[in-house]
Every structure is written in C-alpha cells, then in structure tokens.
C-alpha cells in the first residue's frame, strides 16, 4: 500500500498539464479512450495541441486512418483541461456517427442540435441549448443559419469534419463559408479532410482563411506569390507545415493491416411482366407535361422514381399510390401538400441532400396551382392505376430470387477465407428493406436477420433493444441516448447472433462493422461517394478478412450496366487494398449533381449506342475533372518523404505505451489507496 503523501503525489502526476509537444499531454486522454493505440493518431493529436499561438490546424490523413479518433483525442484533452465549450460541425449525415463515437470511445457527453431539437430544449426550460456542458454537434447548413447564436459563445474548440466542403470559403459567393467564418472568428479550430487540395491551390487558401484569414493575406497576394510563380512552392510547403498534418496509408502499413476487396457481379433478368412495368413508368416519366411530376420538382421527382423503380416492385408501387392519391386530391380541388416529395424522401430514408434541395425549393414559395384539365388528370390517374395493378400482380421479382444465389456464393467465398458468416445488404428504399425481410424469412433465414434504418422502431428491433437493455443494465454500455443505444443494440445483435443485416443508407454512415466481410449492393447508388461509404463500413481498420462486394446488375438495362462499369473502372471502387482514392472521390464536388448527370442519360438516351456514347462522354469529362496536373503539386506540398517516418512513428508508439503503463500503474495504486 502507498502512504497519503504518495497518494497526493500520484494524484498530482495524473492530473497535471504537460507541455504541448510532450506525450504526457494526452496520456490521460489515451488512458480514458476505448481505442486501439496507433502512433500516427497520437502524432496527429499532439500536432493539433502543440502550438498555443496557432488558431488551428488541418488534419488531412488519407481515408481510413482514423481522423475522427485523432479529433476525439484532442476533444478529450480539452475536456480534461476544463475547456468545455466544444462545437463539432459536420455534414448532416455524419452527426450521429460523431455522437456515437464520442460517447462510446471517449465517454464525452454530446448533443445533436437542429431546429426541432432547439425548440424542444427551450420548451424544457433550457434557455440557450448551445451553452451546455456537452459537445454540441451541428450540421453545416444549420450552423450557418445560427450565426448570431454561435458568435455569442466563447468556443474553446470548433471541429469541422469534411472541411473540404468549405474550401471555397474565401469566395464572396460562398454564403455558408462566409457565415461560419464570421460566426467563429478567433476561435481555435480543427479541420478534418482527406482532400485538402483537389484542383487548385486556391482551395488550400480557402481552408486557411477558416483558421486565420491573415495566414497568407488576401487572395490577390496569395495568387501573385504562389499561383503565378511556381518557383515558390517550396516556400509554400514550409508555411503549410505549421498548420497541415497529412499521413499516408503507405506510412502506417507496419501498424495497420489492410485486407483486399473481392468483387462479384450478380446479374438478374427481369421477366416480361416486370419489363412491361419498367417501360411503362419510364415512358410516363419522359413526358414534357405531367401533373404527377410538378415542374419545379420534376428533376428530383424523376430521380427518386428512377431509384425506387430499380430498387424493387413494392417500393415503386407504394410511391405510385401516393402520386395517385395526390392527383385525386388535385382533381377534386382539395388541399394538396407542397411537401409530398419531402414525406417520400423521409419515409424511404433517401439521401438527406434531397431534403436540402427541397428546402431550398420551398423558399421560392408554394408550387403553382394552375387551372386543372380534369380530362388530362383523369388519364394520368388511370395510367397510374394500371401500373399499380401490374405491380401488384408481381409477387416475387427476379432480383430478389437472385439475392439467394448472391448470399450463398458470398458465404462460400467467406468460408474459404475462414471469415464469419455475416453479410450486410444495402438498399436505397425502406419499403424494399421490409420486403426483403419478409422474403428472406420465408426462404430459410428466419431468426438470422436484423434490420437497420433511421428509426429502428419496428417490433423486431424493439424486441432486440429491450433484450439488450436487460442484458446491459449493470454495465457502462448504456448511454441514455435512445437512438445511440438502439443502434448499438442492433449492431451487437448482428455481431453475436444474426447472419444478415438489411440496411438503408442510415447504416452507411457512422456504423463500424469490421466483424462483417460481405457487402451486398442490392441497389447500387449512382453516387460513388455513397458506394465507398457503404463498403467502408466493413473494409476498414480492424477488418481481419478480405471483403466480398456483390453488385446487382439488370441484364435488360443497358444504362444500369454502364453505371456499374463506370463505378468499377473509372472510380475503382470495388477492387484492391484501398478502393477509390481520395483524389478521385474528391473530384465529385456534389454527389447529387453527379446523379443528375446520370439521370440525364437515362432520360435522354434510347438505344444502347446512345447510352454507350453518353457514358463515354461522361468518363471523358471525369478524366478532365480528375486532373493529373495537380498530382505533382499535391505531393510536393502535402506528402513528406522522410525515409525515417516508420522509425519516428515507432518511437512515438513506444513512448506512449511506456507512459500509459505508468498512468495505469499510478491510477491503480491511487484507487486501491482510496
């Protein structure tokens, strides 16, 4: 046993604040965190904490190296130092991931705020929900609208996830970037991005203005010094060293083992009745004038219908019924909701970017209620009813039959590798998810399935959740946040009992499934970033086996075949150790814009030759976007060539382990004494 005097010394040693460049600075944070120890993450966290004079840094590790963990260590250290005004700003789709990771891995209390949550907190008596003893998490769009509220709080640290979304923050036209710069001026910032530079050095300048607009002066000075005079790149590199830290995957292969991706294509051939339905709805969507497709939302409505039509018969059937009901109300001059499409996106759990487009559309006023041609609207209603009857007659479609083949093929491949019999099936439709659950239940998988979506409130998921609460009631795993705990319960059930998880896009974000090594793209997104997110749930740090990726393709649809070819060959999503590169994915500025380009091909091309030519043109444009001219500049500025990097990281790892051994020993002795 130790004496009171020793206990006092140990307590001091455990709580003292060390120098910024010392491993001691984050040793207690590492001790508290439930994460594996990786030297590049320790180095990145120390880099972010190192300079008290700097207003912030950019952590720009390649994809898959754990930038969230690096940021979590920094946040944990700020929290330990009683600097607890902490803000995380991320894409809306990643907010839950941040909340889950900070709670599970770092035991940090979090609060996701949006307009509805803020209203509720104020009703509950919390006057200023932004000023709580929690890590506040906001989406980019909501944060930019809360400029005055954010400016009023003395934030100790602001984290920007996917910070490349603000790489044009210096431009006058970038309203979001300028609003966030004003709101958070002078605050300490931590920017996370795998693609800090894509097509122009001005993107680096834009990121620098978020941290400190005086780092390089104004944009004219930056252009003159570095864009118009290439000989100054070495000087620029030296200046960047102080606030950008980038680690490459090749630097850490000694510490992080990566497995391969193995791809299988599962073809299916729709029957004549299915093809008749597809052709009929496709022709319906091509009309110039239609009450079913309002002009202002026509493009988005068509895009969603195309996705649901490709997903499953049941998904498009329910949507057609909704459209028919809307037309009947329109014909009978009853109140018609402007938010029909918004409800559809929410019900099917389609991409949140669709909702943002709809919100922007709603700001321009209600949809025009023009004079109704009853004969024409009755014709459309009759056509829709015919489509619905055709769809109702299709009980089991060809695609779902081939799912059984895909599962068995994948499971056989996994058995050869010694991988556990686990598969995740991704669909873009909530209704398709429900249909597949019922279908697989009937095909011998009853009791081996679990579903995962945005709410997880169906009876089966509720039962799993309640059972999990009982089993974990005396443990620390329950956070008290119902959505987070539900997600954890379902993932635990998948890991320990179920063979198959059927998931909507909700599982493509913020869910870590390293124990599963088969990803089935039942519906293949047109957005390559989405595809990479899905595969990245399983193919990530900690995966012990090669990951089998299965993609469905319609043999009677030339455009579907070309989309798969584009994603495979141009984006290289499905093969190799790392899949799509940061540079390639970063070239897609907006996934929705990319989807619209593909939709235009579906809508405008008829013959296989036209479709092939259109996709070849799209590939050509992409090659220009993914410009090789930036490669050398990118490497010169952001990628170090230190031959001793592996040795340096090893020293860092050894020091951290020694320090953690000491922290653990002191903590245990002090605990026993108390």
């Amino acid at each position: 046993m130790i004496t009171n005097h020793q206990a006092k010394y140990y307590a001091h040693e455990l709580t003292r604040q060390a120098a910024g460049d010392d491993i001691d600075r984050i040793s207690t944070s590492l001790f508290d965190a439930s994460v594996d120890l990786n030297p590049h993450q320790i180095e990145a966290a120390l880099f972010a904490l190192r300079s008290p004079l700097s207003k912030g840094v950019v952590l720009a590790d390649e994809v898959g190296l754990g930038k969230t963990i690096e940021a979590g260590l920094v946040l944990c250290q700020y929290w330990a130092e009683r600097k607890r005004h902490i803000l995380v700003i991320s894409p809306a789709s990643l907010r839950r991931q941040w909340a889950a990771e900070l709670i599970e891995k770092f035991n940090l209390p979090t609060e996701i705020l949006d307009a509805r949550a803020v209203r509720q907190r104020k009703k509950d008596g919390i006057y200023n929900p932004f000023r709580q003893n929690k890590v506040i998490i906001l989406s980019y769009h909501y944060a930019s609208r809360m400029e005055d509220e954010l400016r009023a709080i003395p934030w100790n640290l602001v984290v920007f996830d996917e910070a490349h979304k603000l790489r044009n923050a210096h431009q006058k036209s970038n309203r979001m970037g300028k609003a966030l710069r004003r709101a958070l001026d002078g605050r300490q910032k931590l920017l996370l991005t795998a693609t800090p530079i894509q097509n122009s050095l001005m993107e680096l300048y834009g990121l620098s203005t978020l941290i400190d607009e005086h780092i390089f002066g104004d944009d004219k000075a930056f252009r003159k010094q570095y864009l118009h005079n290439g000989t100054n790149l070495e000087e620029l590199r030296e200046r960047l060293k102080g606030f950008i830290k980038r680690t490459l995957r090749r630097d850490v292969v000694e510490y992080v083992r990566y497995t391969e991706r193995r791809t299988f294509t599962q073809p299916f051939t729709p029957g004549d009745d299915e093809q008749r339905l597809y052709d009929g709805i496709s022709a319906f969507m091509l009309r110039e004038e239609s009450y079913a497709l309002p002009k202002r939302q026509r493009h988005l409505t068509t895009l969603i219908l195309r996705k649901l039509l490709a997903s499953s018969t049941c998904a498009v059937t329910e949507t057609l019924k909704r459209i028919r009901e809307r037309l009947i109300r329109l014909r009978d001059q009853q109140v018609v909701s402007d938010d029909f499409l918004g409800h559809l996106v929410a019900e099917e759990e389609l991409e949140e970017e669709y909702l943002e487009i709809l919100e922007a559309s709603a700001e321009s006023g209600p949809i025009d209620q023009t004079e109704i041609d009853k004969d024409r609207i009755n014709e459309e209603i009759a056509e829709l009813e015919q489509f619905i009857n055709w769809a109702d007659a299709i009980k089991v479609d060809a695609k779902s039959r081939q799912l059984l083949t895909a599962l068995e093929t994948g499971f056989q491949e996994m058995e050869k590798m010694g991988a556990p019999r686990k598969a995740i099936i991704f669909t873009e439709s909530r209704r398709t998810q429900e249909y597949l659950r019922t279908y697989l239940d009937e095909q011998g998988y009853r009791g081996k399935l679990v579903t995962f979506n945005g709410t997880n409130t169906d009876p089966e998921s509720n039962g799993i959740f309640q059972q999990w609460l009982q089993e974990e009631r005396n443990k620390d795993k329950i956070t008290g946040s119902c959505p987070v705990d539900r997600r954890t319960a379902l993932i635990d059930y998948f890991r320990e009992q179920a063979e198959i998880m059927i998931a909507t896009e909700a599982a493509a974000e913020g869910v870590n499934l390293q124990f599963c090594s088969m990803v089935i793209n039942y519906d293949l997104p047109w957005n390559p970033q989405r595809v990479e997110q899905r595969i990245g749930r399983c193919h990530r740090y900690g995966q012990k086996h090669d990951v089998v990726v299965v993609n469905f393709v319609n043999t009677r649809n030339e455009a579907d075949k070309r989309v798969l070819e584009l994603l495979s060959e141009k984006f290289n999503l499905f093969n190799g150790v790392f899949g799509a590169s940061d540079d390639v994915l970063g070239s897609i500025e907006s996934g929705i814009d990319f989807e619209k380009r593909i939709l235009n091909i579906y809508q405008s091309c008829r013959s296989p030759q036209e479709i092939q030519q259109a996709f070849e043109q799209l590939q050509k444009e992409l090659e220009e976007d993914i410009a090789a001219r930036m490669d050398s500049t990118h490497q010169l500025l952001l990628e170090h060539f230190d031959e001793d990097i592996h040795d340096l990281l090893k020293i860092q790892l050894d020091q951290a382990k020694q320090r953690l051994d000491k922290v653990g020993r002191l903590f245990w002795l002090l605990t026993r004494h108390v």
Side-chain angles (χ1 to χ4, degrees):
M1 296 297 289
I2 60 174
T3 66
N4 287 340
H5 182 76
Q6 288 173 313
K8 194 170 186 179
Y9 168 74
Y10 291 171
H12 167 75
E13 182 68 12
L14 287 168
T15 57
R16 72 181 177 88
Q17 291 184 19
D21 59 350
D22 190 341
I23 194 68
D24 287 359
R25 175 83 188 270
I26 59 167
S27 56
T28 50
S29 299
L30 287 169
F31 181 66
D32 287 341
S34 303
V35 295
D36 288 334
L37 203 60
N38 278 311
H40 69 279
Q41 293 169 339
I42 298 168
E43 174 63 26
L46 287 174
F47 177 81
L49 292 163
R50 192 161 288 154
S51 174
L53 301 177
S54 168
K55 293 183 181 178
V57 299
V58 181
L59 298 184
D61 291 358
E62 277 193 290
V63 167
L65 292 183
K67 288 183 290 296
T68 307
I69 300 298
E70 294 166 2
L73 288 172
V74 177
L75 266 62
C76 205
Q77 187 57 34
Y78 268 74
W79 194 269
E81 294 174 4
R82 300 285 191 243
K83 300 172 183 175
R84 297 188 175 178
H85 289 305
I86 299 174
L87 175 65
V88 174
I89 301 176
S90 78
S93 59
L94 298 180
R95 292 174 300 174
R96 286 179 181 169
Q97 175 179 348
W98 271 96
E101 297 248 329
L102 292 180
I103 291 169
E104 293 167 10
K105 291 184 168 64
F106 300 98
N107 200 30
L108 291 175
T110 62
E111 178 90 23
I112 298 173
L113 292 180
D114 53 22
R116 185 170 58 182
V118 167
R119 284 196 298 270
Q120 185 59 48
R121 296 298 175 273
K122 288 183 176 179
K123 282 183 185 177
D124 295 341
I126 299 173
Y127 173 71
N128 187 347
F130 296 97
R131 193 184 282 266
Q132 298 185 67
N133 202 29
K134 296 178 179 179
V135 177
I136 302 299
I137 303 172
L138 308 177
S139 73
Y140 274 105
H141 287 276
Y142 186 63
S144 65
R145 295 204 302 270
M146 295 291 106
E147 182 180 339
D148 292 339
E149 289 82 350
L150 297 184
R151 188 190 291 119
I153 295 175
W155 300 105
N156 299 116
L157 181 67
V158 181
V159 177
F160 290 92
D161 192 20
E162 304 290 342
H164 52 266
K165 290 180 179 294
L166 296 177
R167 57 189 172 205
N168 295 320
H170 61 288
Q171 296 177 359
K172 291 180 180 178
S173 59
N174 193 302
R175 289 188 295 175
M176 180 192 293
K178 296 193 84 64
L180 292 174
R181 276 176 58 188
R182 290 191 300 265
L184 302 166
D185 183 45
R187 310 292 189 245
Q188 191 79 12
K189 300 182 185 74
L190 178 58
L191 278 57
L192 309 177
T193 174
T195 52
I197 177 175
Q198 191 56 52
N199 295 312
S200 168
L201 288 179
M202 290 308 296
E203 295 162 356
L204 274 180
Y205 174 79
L207 290 180
S208 77
T209 62
L210 283 172
I211 295 172
D212 182 354
E213 61 186 56
H214 302 298
I215 290 178
F216 292 111
D218 63 19
D219 60 341
K220 291 179 183 175
F222 185 87
R223 288 177 193 277
K224 182 178 179 182
Q225 192 164 6
Y226 300 115
L227 262 69
H228 302 152
N229 185 356
T231 58
N232 282 337
L233 285 181
E234 191 58 43
E235 179 193 326
L236 177 58
R237 174 176 173 151
E238 286 301 312
R239 295 183 69 175
L240 292 175
K241 277 184 180 178
F243 73 95
I244 294 185
K245 174 76 173 173
R246 181 169 173 84
T247 304
L248 306 178
R249 285 177 286 210
R250 66 169 182 257
D251 295 332
V252 300
V253 288
E254 188 178 335
Y255 310 100
V256 181
R257 179 178 174 267
Y258 289 101
T259 59
E260 297 268 352
R261 298 179 181 187
R262 301 188 190 181
T263 313
F264 294 87
T265 298
Q266 183 60 57
F268 68 95
T269 304
D272 292 341
D273 51 350
E274 293 175 59
Q275 194 63 35
R276 177 181 62 173
L277 177 66
Y278 183 93
D279 292 340
I281 296 174
S282 293
F284 187 80
M285 287 189 285
L286 291 174
R287 288 186 189 163
E288 290 296 324
E289 297 291 332
S290 171
Y291 288 107
L293 307 172
K295 273 188 178 178
R296 204 176 71 206
Q297 296 176 347
R298 181 184 180 88
H299 215 81
L300 190 56
T301 308
T302 307
L303 177 59
I304 290 170
L305 270 174
R306 283 272 177 204
K307 282 176 170 287
L308 297 178
L309 186 57
S311 179
S312 69
T313 306
C314 70
V316 78
T317 305
E318 293 302 316
T319 306
L320 292 173
K321 289 177 181 177
R322 280 296 192 90
I323 295 174
R324 180 189 61 185
E325 289 166 12
R326 178 181 168 277
L327 291 188
I328 291 171
R329 295 181 71 85
L330 197 62
R331 180 196 64 190
D332 298 343
Q333 297 184 326
Q334 298 175 359
V335 176
V336 178
S337 170
D338 280 356
D339 200 26
F340 152 75
L341 209 51
H343 289 308
L344 178 60
V345 170
E347 282 178 6
E348 290 286 10
E349 294 189 7
L350 299 169
E351 291 200 41
E352 292 197 22
E353 281 185 72
Y354 294 161
L355 289 174
E356 292 171 5
I357 293 171
L358 288 171
E359 285 175 11
S361 172
E363 290 174 3
S364 58
I367 297 172
D368 295 335
Q369 299 284 351
T370 54
E371 192 173 333
I372 300 298
D373 181 334
K374 288 198 173 183
D375 290 337
R376 217 178 85 213
I377 206 170
N378 279 326
E379 284 177 15
E380 288 193 30
I381 291 169
E383 278 187 273
L384 290 170
E385 286 174 347
Q386 185 180 49
F387 296 149
I388 291 165
N389 290 335
W390 288 351
D392 285 340
I394 301 168
K395 301 303 180 187
V396 179
D397 55 35
K399 188 179 180 184
S400 51
R401 289 193 191 97
Q402 289 304 312
L403 176 59
L404 299 175
T405 305
L407 282 168
E408 285 312 309
T409 302
F411 283 147
Q412 287 170 16
E413 193 66 24
M414 292 160 70
E415 190 175 347
K416 293 177 191 172
M417 298 187 289
R421 193 177 165 95
K422 304 280 181 187
I424 182 165
I425 302 170
F426 278 108
T427 172
E428 291 195 294
S429 162
R430 180 82 173 265
R431 291 190 177 97
T432 300
Q433 180 189 49
E434 293 163 3
Y435 163 72
L436 290 179
R437 170 73 187 244
T438 304
Y439 177 71
L440 290 175
D441 261 350
E442 295 167 352
Q443 299 299 319
Y445 287 98
R446 186 178 299 277
K448 301 174 183 178
L449 302 169
V450 61
T451 57
F452 193 105
N453 51 53
T455 59
N456 300 313
T457 53
D458 59 279
E460 291 88 353
S461 298
N462 269 331
I464 291 169
F465 178 49
Q466 294 304 322
Q467 179 67 29
W468 181 85
L469 287 174
Q470 283 296 314
E471 292 171 357
E472 302 292 332
R473 63 185 180 277
N474 296 321
K475 302 175 186 175
D476 293 335
K477 208 165 187 178
I478 298 174
T479 67
S481 169
C482 197
V484 171
D485 287 340
R486 280 182 182 275
R487 290 159 67 91
T488 306
L490 294 174
I491 292 167
D492 284 356
Y493 183 81
F494 181 31
R495 182 191 297 108
E496 294 157 14
Q497 297 186 49
E499 285 185 4
I500 299 168
M501 174 177 274
I502 310 170
T504 64
E505 291 299 336
E509 300 146 352
V511 178
N512 298 331
L513 305 173
Q514 296 95 324
F515 58 86
C516 170
S517 49
M518 177 153 68
V519 177
I520 297 179
N521 288 310
Y522 191 76
D523 308 328
L524 188 63
W526 294 346
N527 180 349
Q529 293 165 331
R530 277 282 173 195
V531 180
E532 183 61 31
Q533 276 184 326
R534 286 179 174 189
I535 300 171
R537 297 306 95 213
C538 300
H539 190 237
R540 59 193 299 111
Y541 170 69
Q543 174 61 256
K544 295 181 173 63
H545 305 280
D546 290 351
V547 173
V548 176
V549 181
V550 181
N551 299 311
F552 278 71
V553 65
N554 183 343
T555 59
R556 294 180 73 167
N557 190 310
E558 194 65 29
D560 279 7
K561 290 190 277 186
R562 294 295 174 185
V563 168
L564 179 58
E565 187 180 294
L566 179 71
L567 295 176
S568 301
E569 296 180 8
K570 179 49 58 183
F571 288 99
N572 192 31
L573 286 163
F574 306 118
N575 291 304
V577 177
F578 298 130
S581 73
D582 304 339
D583 297 326
V584 173
L585 286 181
S587 69
I588 306 300
E589 189 66 35
S590 164
I592 299 299
D593 289 344
F594 186 74
E595 289 185 350
K596 286 178 179 176
R597 292 167 79 177
I598 292 180
L599 176 64
N600 286 335
I601 297 175
Y602 275 81
Q603 291 290 95
S604 61
C605 299
R606 302 289 176 272
S607 68
Q609 291 78 16
E610 287 180 343
I611 291 169
Q612 182 172 347
Q613 288 172 5
F615 272 99
E616 284 174 356
Q617 179 61 32
L618 178 57
Q619 286 203 28
K620 186 178 178 183
E621 291 173 19
L622 283 170
E623 284 165 2
E624 293 170 0
D625 289 345
I626 306 165
R629 67 180 184 276
M630 285 306 298
D631 286 354
S632 58
T633 305
H634 192 291
Q635 290 176 358
L636 176 65
L637 291 175
L638 297 176
E639 298 176 7
H640 52 71
F641 301 98
D642 193 332
E643 295 177 1
D644 300 323
I645 183 64
H646 296 287
D647 293 335
L648 294 172
L649 287 175
K650 189 174 189 309
I651 291 168
Q652 190 76 275
L653 180 64
D654 291 343
Q655 287 179 343
K657 284 181 175 177
Q658 289 171 14
R659 179 59 190 166
L660 279 180
D661 287 343
K662 182 180 177 183
V663 169
R665 188 173 69 256
L666 296 183
F667 188 82
W668 176 236
L669 288 169
L670 182 62
T671 305
R672 288 181 64 197
H673 179 77
V674 172

